[in-house]
Amino acid sequence: MPLLELRNVQLALGHHPPLLENLNLTIDPGERVCLVGRNGAGKSTLMRILTGAVEPDDGQVLCDPGVRVAQLAQELPEDTSGTVYQHVAAGLGALGETVERYHRVAEAVAAGDTERLDEMQACQDALDAEGGWDLKQRVEAVISRLDLDPDAPMAHLSGGVQRRVLLGRALVTDPDLLLLDEPTNHLDIEAITWLEGFLRDWPGALLFITHDRTFLQSLATRIVEIDRGALISYPGDYQNYLRRREERLHAEEQQRAEFDKRLAQEEAWIRQGIKARRTRNQGRVRELQRMRAERAERREHQGKARFSVQEAERSGKIVAEAEGVHFAYGDTTIVRDLNTSILRGDKVGIIGPNGCGKTTLIRLLLGALEPTHGVIRRGTRLEIAYFDQQRAVLDEDASVQDNVGGGREHIDINGQSRHVLSYLQDFLFPPQRARQPVRALSGGERNRLLLARLFSQPANLLVLDEPTNDLDAETLELLEERLLDFSGTVLVVSHDRSFLDAVVTQSLAYEGDGRFREYAGGYSDWQRQRPGPAPQRPSERGGKNTKERGHASPTGTPAASTTGSGRKRLTRNEEQELAALPERIEALEREQAQLHEQLADPALYQSDDGRLSALQEQLAELEARLESTYERWQDLEARSHAG
């Protein structure tokens, strides 16, 4: 039986056509469903419908009264007074207040405050009367499971630990279904990987929104896309979703092209002077009218962003070179013994937990700060464009158009004059949206506006501080392509693992105690090369969040060896298996190509006979077999060469 069901849900919110149109969705126990779609497609609105914060114009939201639904808040709490225990227990309502009060009073009594014995007895009586002891145990179990300090002041916690407390507040209700809207936003990589592992092991059902592709790939068992007001469900992981979505859009394009061809033929027929009013032709006339109405109601697929990066004159070969650089705020060292050389064309990722000093490091390299000790030599002819994660450069009251054009109607892009409104359409801002004030924009739209502003100026050094927050997957992929094509230098701070892997050629990773060490490649390469586990964050388990003033210590635990030195040589049977694997892989790939061909048939998407689902399940099973066969072939091949 489904935990939650939507039936023909519709919501307009002043939109025409409706923002959400005739949505149908079921979520079963144990499912991990990711809700995806373009910025502004209605994902967060749908989440608010599920929580009851927004009432749909039509349709039903069905949820059995016994099903417990909890939501992880997207924003950090404004009120940070009180302790971790108090915030977690607050998820239980009024009885949670009694549980928290008993915890606080019992600790005081245990510390020798005997004057509060009567107060503790009153709390015990209240818990006895209302069955609160089980809830007390649940609060303590959740806090323990999330590795939190129950007595830590909430105000002293880092953003990542505060997000963990909010998760505890949701989990303490023991929900059957947990709703999460962008849970990874503004978390560092360590916090994201922790949350990813926790949710993967959690037995309840999940419905979550995320633009973090690695997080999505790791967690989702089904992906549901909002596309032009409709919901389309794709079983399987993110990679399967990308393939099947492409097949669906290709089939839709073919179907629409055929429809438009028939419509054009019928329009030509009606204009040829044929006596269409004759009885024998009335059916054809009515069919033409129906086709015209269907064409008028068609919702076109939103175009893709198509921006590019303006390149300034080439900089000198050396962009920045640091030797023995130290930097400190008072007695607190932020950067220690930095040695690095950044050359023209390098794309450098800066990796580390929140508060470790990444932004300080960038400011040192650019010359906004001078080192306490050591030398930084900076290159010549540098034209810098800076992407500010805090969006401080945007004027909230000015229009989107004025934020880019500065009051001008035309700007110079790659040596040519372009109208600001035309330029903004490359970033998916239609003219009516471009004339609205910035305060009316969503988070994703604000980031697109910052990119539009950034790329309107020539540069040979791009500095990107958390550029991926709130951007949808298609815009992220285009940004990756443009940065790869950019011949200048890129410095990027990001917690998006897929983005780092796709873009950077080298990484400066935080190793603890103010030290940043250089590695070749992106995030995955750093994971393979680093000497030990990820460094401890500057603020943990109730430690004071020091932002850019703190530093962490490395754990010093050696990583498990990933070399192949301990592998055994191939047995005779394994040698025979290795010889047969290429032919087996070819057969599986041929079968895969045949299934893709069948799934590209437009007629498949018009029927409701279950054949589409069967083919999709068959493809998912085949691709899993193909992937495991590839892994087996790579393992045997590596061992054969090692031996």
Side-chain angles (χ1 to χ4, degrees), residues 621-640:
E621 181 183 349
L622 175 65
E623 287 171 341
R625 284 164 47 205
L626 185 58
E627 183 177 351
S628 63
T629 305
Y630 271 128
E631 290 175 355
R632 179 62 173 165
W633 175 75
Q634 289 170 350
D635 178 58
L636 293 178
E637 184 78 5
R639 287 169 56 192
S640 70

Side-chain angles (χ1 to χ4, degrees), residues 358-383:
K358 300 186 296 295
T359 302
T360 298
L361 174 60
I362 284 181
R363 297 181 69 196
L364 280 168
L365 293 173
L366 298 183
L369 294 173
E370 290 299 329
T372 310
H373 303 291
V375 177
I376 297 181
R377 289 182 286 274
R378 301 176 185 91
T380 58
R381 301 189 302 276
L382 292 179
E383 295 288 338

